[in-house]
Amino acid sequence: MARPPEHTNAQQKFRKQNCRCAICGTTKDTETHHLIDYSFGGSANPENFITLCHKHHVAAHRGEITIIVEQK
């Protein structure tokens, strides 16, 4: 599903501000991961994003890792 430019821009902005993988801490090859996927109605709000390195991003999509978000 193609994302509108505003959504992609929000992802890029988030990654620039949060450039460290939340799992391993690397700053190399980081990507923005949706906690609720865009195809399931996930928003472009920072609360719906987490930064992951490519390795952990792929693992998350394969279901090899689970990301648990603590409610504030």
Side-chain angles (χ1 to χ4, degrees), residues 7-8 12-13 25 32 38 41 45 54-55 59-62 65 68:
H7 194 100
T8 303
Q12 291 172 349
K13 181 179 177 183
T32 306
Y38 178 75
N45 296 325
H54 180 74
K55 173 185 166 185
H61 280 278
R62 288 183 179 158
I65 59 173
I68 299 171

Side-chain angles (χ1 to χ4, degrees), residues 3 7 11 14 22-23 31-52 57 60-61 65-71:
R3 296 176 182 151
H7 194 100
Q11 282 183 276
F14 181 85
I23 295 175
E31 302 169 353
T32 306
H33 177 71
H34 288 81
L35 298 171
I36 300 172
D37 194 76
Y38 178 75
S39 62
F40 295 112
S43 70
N45 296 325
E47 297 81 24
N48 189 42
F49 294 143
I50 189 171
T51 304
L52 299 173
H57 196 189
H61 280 278
I65 59 173
T66 301
I67 299 168
I68 299 171
V69 180
E70 293 181 11
Q71 300 269 330

